[in-house]
Amino acid sequence: MKQLLFIQTGFGVDVHGQNITKAAERAVRNAIFTNSMPGIEALLPDGDLQNMVVNIKLALPCDADKLDENAICSIIPYGTVTIEKMAGGMMTTSGIFLEDKEDKNDLMYIVNASVETGY
């Protein structure tokens, strides 16, 4: 990325089902869905949203190899998206095992996200 313009942060939780992709999707959505960047086109080369570069950093507590990166990238509607995975986040008890919610155990997964936007 030549020029970093914005950094948005968020977190996401999958309380039941132990699905790292669900937790990561929620973290990215949490980071971007409460923000608006109305002047970004004026900052991008040629004023084109497709020239935007987005680097998503995800702190994952486990199952990094099970992350569906295409699902995460599809959340970002414009530009070139990359994903950087790192150890972090948290696994903690949900306090209950619910088989009908596809639980494998009683853990919930918490993922942290940083969404860097620039060109």
Side-chain angles (χ1 to χ4, degrees):
M1 187 176 310
K2 178 181 171 185
Q3 179 64 53
L4 178 62
L5 298 173
F6 302 100
I7 300 173
Q8 301 158 296
T9 60
F11 78 97
V13 181
D14 185 31
V15 178
H16 296 288
Q18 298 76 43
N19 186 316
I20 201 67
T21 299
K22 279 186 185 178
E25 286 173 323
R26 290 171 179 160
V28 171
R29 290 180 195 285
N30 180 251
I32 68 170
F33 278 16
T34 58
N35 297 283
S36 178
M37 298 183 288
I40 193 165
E41 287 177 295
L43 301 173
L44 295 172
D46 301 322
D48 187 347
L49 290 172
Q50 292 307 327
N51 290 327
M52 184 169 62
V53 174
V54 179
N55 183 36
I56 300 172
K57 294 180 180 177
L58 297 171
L60 307 167
C62 64
D63 294 343
D65 59 318
K66 294 180 182 176
L67 182 73
D68 181 346
E69 293 189 25
N70 290 329
I72 303 303
C73 288
S74 72
I75 296 169
I76 308 299
Y78 306 106
T80 302
V81 182
T82 60
I83 295 176
E84 181 181 339
K85 300 181 280 187
M86 62 193 71
M90 177 187 283
M91 290 186 302
T92 189
T93 184
S94 68
I96 187 170
F97 175 87
L98 298 173
E99 189 173 345
D100 64 320
K101 298 294 183 186
E102 300 179 14
D103 272 347
K104 299 165 197 69
N105 52 53
D106 74 337
L107 294 176
M108 68 171 86
Y109 291 178
I110 304 172
V111 172
N112 301 103
S114 173
V115 180
E116 301 173 345
T117 304
Y119 60 86

